[in-house]
Every structure is written in structure tokens, then in C-alpha cells.
Short mmCIF file of all heavy atoms in Angstrom, two decimals:
data_model
loop_
_atom_site.label_atom_id
_atom_site.label_comp_id
_atom_site.label_asym_id
_atom_site.label_seq_id
_atom_site.Cartn_x
_atom_site.Cartn_y
_atom_site.Cartn_z
N GLU A 1 105.42 94.39 103.69
CA GLU A 1 106.30 93.78 102.73
C GLU A 1 105.94 92.37 102.34
O GLU A 1 106.04 92.02 101.16
CB GLU A 1 107.76 93.87 103.16
CG GLU A 1 108.02 93.13 104.45
CD GLU A 1 109.53 93.12 104.85
OE1 GLU A 1 110.39 93.18 103.92
OE2 GLU A 1 109.77 93.08 106.01
N ALA A 2 105.56 91.56 103.32
CA ALA A 2 105.27 90.15 103.01
C ALA A 2 104.09 90.02 102.02
O ALA A 2 104.14 89.27 101.09
CB ALA A 2 104.93 89.38 104.30
N LYS A 3 103.09 90.89 102.23
CA LYS A 3 101.93 90.88 101.41
C LYS A 3 102.16 91.60 100.03
O LYS A 3 101.56 91.15 99.09
CB LYS A 3 100.80 91.67 102.12
CG LYS A 3 99.49 91.71 101.41
CD LYS A 3 98.47 92.46 102.25
CE LYS A 3 97.16 92.69 101.47
NZ LYS A 3 96.18 93.45 102.29
N THR A 4 103.04 92.58 100.05
CA THR A 4 103.20 93.35 98.80
C THR A 4 104.21 92.82 97.88
O THR A 4 104.08 93.01 96.71
CB THR A 4 103.62 94.78 99.20
OG1 THR A 4 102.57 95.25 100.16
CG2 THR A 4 103.59 95.73 98.09
N THR A 5 105.19 92.08 98.37
CA THR A 5 106.34 91.63 97.57
C THR A 5 105.93 90.75 96.41
O THR A 5 106.42 91.06 95.27
CB THR A 5 107.35 90.88 98.40
OG1 THR A 5 107.87 91.75 99.43
CG2 THR A 5 108.46 90.35 97.61
N PRO A 6 105.00 89.82 96.46
CA PRO A 6 104.59 89.06 95.23
C PRO A 6 104.13 89.91 94.12
O PRO A 6 104.42 89.69 93.02
CB PRO A 6 103.65 88.08 95.82
CG PRO A 6 103.87 87.87 97.31
CD PRO A 6 104.41 89.30 97.67
N GLY A 7 103.28 90.84 94.46
CA GLY A 7 102.68 91.68 93.44
C GLY A 7 103.81 92.62 92.78
O GLY A 7 103.76 92.89 91.58
N LEU A 8 104.75 93.05 93.55
CA LEU A 8 105.86 93.86 92.98
C LEU A 8 106.74 93.06 92.08
O LEU A 8 107.11 93.49 91.04
CB LEU A 8 106.63 94.50 94.10
CG LEU A 8 105.92 95.58 94.91
CD1 LEU A 8 106.80 96.02 96.12
CD2 LEU A 8 105.69 96.75 94.05
N VAL A 9 106.96 91.77 92.49
CA VAL A 9 107.79 90.86 91.64
C VAL A 9 107.03 90.63 90.29
O VAL A 9 107.60 90.78 89.21
CB VAL A 9 108.08 89.57 92.29
CG1 VAL A 9 108.74 88.51 91.31
CG2 VAL A 9 109.06 89.80 93.54
N ALA A 10 105.72 90.53 90.38
CA ALA A 10 104.92 90.31 89.20
C ALA A 10 105.03 91.56 88.22
O ALA A 10 105.14 91.48 87.05
CB ALA A 10 103.46 90.07 89.49
N ARG A 11 104.98 92.72 88.86
CA ARG A 11 105.16 94.03 88.07
C ARG A 11 106.50 94.06 87.46
O ARG A 11 106.63 94.54 86.29
CB ARG A 11 104.97 95.23 89.04
CG ARG A 11 103.51 95.43 89.47
CD ARG A 11 103.31 96.61 90.39
NE ARG A 11 103.54 97.90 89.66
CZ ARG A 11 103.32 99.05 90.21
NH1 ARG A 11 102.96 99.15 91.50
NH2 ARG A 11 103.51 100.18 89.53
N LEU A 12 107.55 93.62 88.21
CA LEU A 12 108.87 93.69 87.60
C LEU A 12 109.04 92.71 86.46
O LEU A 12 109.68 92.94 85.44
CB LEU A 12 109.92 93.31 88.67
CG LEU A 12 110.03 94.29 89.80
CD1 LEU A 12 111.00 93.82 90.89
CD2 LEU A 12 110.63 95.64 89.26
N TRP A 13 108.27 91.58 86.55
CA TRP A 13 108.31 90.59 85.40
C TRP A 13 107.66 91.30 84.18
O TRP A 13 107.97 90.99 83.05
CB TRP A 13 107.54 89.32 85.77
CG TRP A 13 108.47 88.17 86.17
CD1 TRP A 13 108.50 87.67 87.41
CD2 TRP A 13 109.44 87.58 85.42
NE1 TRP A 13 109.50 86.72 87.44
CE2 TRP A 13 110.06 86.61 86.20
CE3 TRP A 13 109.83 87.63 84.05
CZ2 TRP A 13 111.05 85.73 85.71
CZ3 TRP A 13 110.85 86.84 83.62
CH2 TRP A 13 111.49 85.91 84.40
N GLY A 14 106.65 92.11 84.42
CA GLY A 14 105.96 92.83 83.35
C GLY A 14 106.72 94.07 82.88
O GLY A 14 106.21 94.90 82.13
N ALA A 15 107.99 94.12 83.22
CA ALA A 15 108.92 95.18 82.78
C ALA A 15 108.63 96.55 83.36
O ALA A 15 109.01 97.58 82.89
CB ALA A 15 108.95 95.29 81.29
N THR A 16 107.79 96.59 84.45
CA THR A 16 107.63 97.83 85.22
C THR A 16 108.94 98.10 85.99
O THR A 16 109.55 97.30 86.60
CB THR A 16 106.51 97.64 86.25
OG1 THR A 16 105.28 97.43 85.52
CG2 THR A 16 106.34 98.91 87.10
N ARG A 17 109.31 99.36 85.84
CA ARG A 17 110.59 99.84 86.50
C ARG A 17 110.17 100.47 87.80
O ARG A 17 109.33 101.42 87.75
CB ARG A 17 111.42 100.68 85.70
CG ARG A 17 111.95 99.96 84.47
CD ARG A 17 112.79 100.86 83.54
NE ARG A 17 113.94 101.37 84.39
CZ ARG A 17 114.60 102.50 84.08
NH1 ARG A 17 114.26 103.18 83.11
NH2 ARG A 17 115.64 102.88 84.84
N CYS A 18 110.77 100.08 88.94
CA CYS A 18 110.47 100.65 90.19
C CYS A 18 111.85 101.07 90.84
O CYS A 18 112.88 100.55 90.58
CB CYS A 18 109.86 99.68 91.19
SG CYS A 18 108.25 99.07 90.63
N ALA A 19 111.73 102.11 91.76
CA ALA A 19 112.84 102.49 92.51
C ALA A 19 112.50 102.48 94.00
O ALA A 19 111.34 102.81 94.35
CB ALA A 19 113.32 103.95 92.12
N GLY A 20 113.41 102.20 94.83
CA GLY A 20 113.17 102.17 96.24
C GLY A 20 113.87 103.44 96.90
O GLY A 20 114.97 103.84 96.62
N VAL A 21 113.10 104.05 97.82
CA VAL A 21 113.59 105.16 98.59
C VAL A 21 113.46 104.76 100.04
O VAL A 21 112.44 104.26 100.55
CB VAL A 21 112.77 106.41 98.33
CG1 VAL A 21 113.18 107.59 99.24
CG2 VAL A 21 112.87 106.80 96.88
N ASP A 22 114.55 105.00 100.84
CA ASP A 22 114.70 104.63 102.21
C ASP A 22 115.16 105.78 103.00
O ASP A 22 115.78 106.72 102.55
CB ASP A 22 115.68 103.48 102.24
CG ASP A 22 115.66 102.73 103.51
OD1 ASP A 22 115.52 103.38 104.57
OD2 ASP A 22 115.87 101.52 103.50
N ALA A 23 114.93 105.67 104.33
CA ALA A 23 115.33 106.71 105.27
C ALA A 23 116.81 106.57 105.65
O ALA A 23 117.46 107.45 106.08
CB ALA A 23 114.49 106.75 106.53
N GLY A 24 117.34 105.32 105.41
CA GLY A 24 118.72 105.02 105.86
C GLY A 24 119.50 104.44 104.67
O GLY A 24 119.29 104.75 103.53
N THR A 25 120.34 103.42 105.04
CA THR A 25 121.04 102.68 103.98
C THR A 25 120.14 101.78 103.31
O THR A 25 119.60 100.89 103.91
CB THR A 25 122.25 101.96 104.66
OG1 THR A 25 123.06 102.89 105.26
CG2 THR A 25 123.07 101.27 103.49
N PRO A 26 119.83 101.99 102.06
CA PRO A 26 118.82 101.20 101.34
C PRO A 26 119.24 99.76 101.11
O PRO A 26 120.30 99.38 100.91
CB PRO A 26 118.61 101.91 100.00
CG PRO A 26 119.83 102.77 99.83
CD PRO A 26 120.45 103.01 101.23
N LEU A 27 118.22 98.89 101.24
CA LEU A 27 118.25 97.50 100.90
C LEU A 27 119.12 96.61 101.78
O LEU A 27 119.35 95.52 101.39
CB LEU A 27 118.60 97.29 99.41
CG LEU A 27 117.67 98.04 98.42
CD1 LEU A 27 118.18 97.82 97.01
CD2 LEU A 27 116.25 97.65 98.52
N ILE A 28 119.63 97.08 102.84
CA ILE A 28 120.52 96.28 103.68
C ILE A 28 119.67 95.48 104.62
O ILE A 28 119.70 94.25 104.65
CB ILE A 28 121.61 97.19 104.42
CG1 ILE A 28 122.41 97.98 103.47
CG2 ILE A 28 122.39 96.33 105.31
CD1 ILE A 28 123.08 97.11 102.39
N SER A 29 118.86 96.14 105.51
CA SER A 29 118.08 95.37 106.45
C SER A 29 116.62 95.84 106.41
O SER A 29 115.86 95.59 107.31
CB SER A 29 118.60 95.58 107.88
OG SER A 29 118.52 96.89 108.20
N ASP A 30 116.34 96.53 105.31
CA ASP A 30 115.02 97.12 105.13
C ASP A 30 114.16 96.15 104.27
O ASP A 30 114.59 95.12 103.73
CB ASP A 30 115.13 98.43 104.48
CG ASP A 30 115.85 99.47 105.42
OD1 ASP A 30 115.46 99.56 106.53
OD2 ASP A 30 116.89 99.98 104.93
N PRO A 31 112.87 96.59 104.06
CA PRO A 31 112.01 95.78 103.19
C PRO A 31 112.51 95.53 101.85
O PRO A 31 112.22 94.56 101.24
CB PRO A 31 110.70 96.64 103.14
CG PRO A 31 110.71 97.44 104.43
CD PRO A 31 112.17 97.71 104.70
N GLY A 32 113.35 96.44 101.30
CA GLY A 32 113.94 96.23 100.04
C GLY A 32 114.70 94.95 99.91
O GLY A 32 114.77 94.37 98.78
N SER A 33 115.41 94.49 100.93
CA SER A 33 116.09 93.25 100.88
C SER A 33 115.20 92.10 100.63
O SER A 33 115.66 91.20 99.77
CB SER A 33 116.96 92.99 102.13
OG SER A 33 115.92 92.85 103.28
N ARG A 34 114.02 92.02 101.08
CA ARG A 34 113.05 90.98 100.79
C ARG A 34 112.68 91.03 99.33
O ARG A 34 112.57 89.96 98.68
CB ARG A 34 111.78 91.10 101.68
CG ARG A 34 110.80 89.97 101.39
CD ARG A 34 109.50 90.14 102.11
NE ARG A 34 109.64 89.95 103.56
CZ ARG A 34 109.07 89.05 104.25
NH1 ARG A 34 108.19 88.23 103.72
NH2 ARG A 34 109.29 88.98 105.51
N LEU A 35 112.44 92.21 98.80
CA LEU A 35 112.09 92.36 97.36
C LEU A 35 113.20 91.87 96.43
O LEU A 35 113.02 91.16 95.47
CB LEU A 35 111.69 93.79 96.99
CG LEU A 35 111.27 94.04 95.60
CD1 LEU A 35 110.13 93.15 95.16
CD2 LEU A 35 110.90 95.52 95.45
N VAL A 36 114.43 92.23 96.81
CA VAL A 36 115.64 91.80 95.96
C VAL A 36 115.71 90.29 95.99
O VAL A 36 115.86 89.71 94.96
CB VAL A 36 116.90 92.52 96.43
CG1 VAL A 36 118.12 91.92 95.75
CG2 VAL A 36 116.82 94.03 96.22
N VAL A 37 115.67 89.71 97.12
CA VAL A 37 115.70 88.24 97.24
C VAL A 37 114.68 87.61 96.45
O VAL A 37 114.89 86.69 95.68
CB VAL A 37 115.72 87.78 98.70
CG1 VAL A 37 115.55 86.34 98.84
CG2 VAL A 37 116.99 88.23 99.43
N ALA A 38 113.36 88.04 96.57
CA ALA A 38 112.27 87.49 95.83
C ALA A 38 112.46 87.70 94.32
O ALA A 38 112.14 86.74 93.58
CB ALA A 38 110.91 88.06 96.29
N ALA A 39 112.94 88.78 93.92
CA ALA A 39 113.22 89.07 92.48
C ALA A 39 114.23 88.14 91.92
O ALA A 39 114.11 87.58 90.82
CB ALA A 39 113.56 90.50 92.21
N VAL A 40 115.33 88.00 92.70
CA VAL A 40 116.39 87.04 92.26
C VAL A 40 115.81 85.57 92.20
O VAL A 40 116.07 84.90 91.24
CB VAL A 40 117.59 87.16 93.27
CG1 VAL A 40 118.56 86.01 92.97
CG2 VAL A 40 118.29 88.52 93.07
N GLU A 41 115.13 85.14 93.21
CA GLU A 41 114.60 83.78 93.23
C GLU A 41 113.62 83.60 91.99
O GLU A 41 113.56 82.41 91.52
CB GLU A 41 113.88 83.48 94.55
CG GLU A 41 114.85 83.38 95.65
CD GLU A 41 114.14 83.23 96.99
OE1 GLU A 41 112.92 83.40 97.07
OE2 GLU A 41 114.90 82.89 97.99
N ALA A 42 112.92 84.68 91.61
CA ALA A 42 111.95 84.51 90.51
C ALA A 42 112.63 84.68 89.14
O ALA A 42 112.02 84.48 88.14
CB ALA A 42 110.90 85.59 90.66
N GLY A 43 113.96 85.04 89.22
CA GLY A 43 114.65 85.15 88.00
C GLY A 43 114.52 86.53 87.26
O GLY A 43 114.87 86.70 86.15
N VAL A 44 113.98 87.45 87.99
CA VAL A 44 113.73 88.82 87.44
C VAL A 44 115.07 89.55 87.36
O VAL A 44 115.37 90.22 86.39
CB VAL A 44 112.73 89.60 88.23
CG1 VAL A 44 112.71 91.07 87.75
CG2 VAL A 44 111.40 88.91 88.28
N LEU A 45 115.96 89.41 88.34
CA LEU A 45 117.27 90.05 88.43
C LEU A 45 118.33 89.09 88.22
O LEU A 45 118.30 87.91 88.52
CB LEU A 45 117.47 90.67 89.82
CG LEU A 45 116.48 91.77 90.17
CD1 LEU A 45 116.80 92.27 91.58
CD2 LEU A 45 116.56 92.94 89.21
#
């Protein structure tokens, strides 16, 4: 997640739509939370 998040945020800026799939409750304590925070900080969300 640390290595992949910046590239995913760049893809989101480019209007790429992504969805997250998780084994449990999504985006609470999983890698998705890091992506959401990074996207918000970058102004994507």
C-alpha cells in the first residue's frame, strides 16, 4: 500500500474509476483507508 497508493491517486486524478474489494469490513482498518486519506489530501475526493 505505501508503494502503490501514490500511483493509484494519480490514476484517480486521471478520472480512472477503481473499486476496492476486501475480505472484511472495507476501508476501516485496511489498506483502503490509506488510499482514501491520500485521495482526500490530494483533493481527488
Side-chain angles (χ1 to χ4, degrees):
E1 66 178 326
K3 181 179 174 184
T4 308
T5 297
L8 290 173
V9 170
R11 287 178 73 173
L12 293 172
W13 263 114
T16 297
R17 293 182 60 203
C18 299
V21 175
D22 191 324
T25 303
L27 304 179
I28 302 303
S29 62
D30 296 307
S33 61
R34 179 186 291 242
L35 179 58
V36 171
V37 169
V40 168
E41 289 175 351
V44 175
L45 299 177

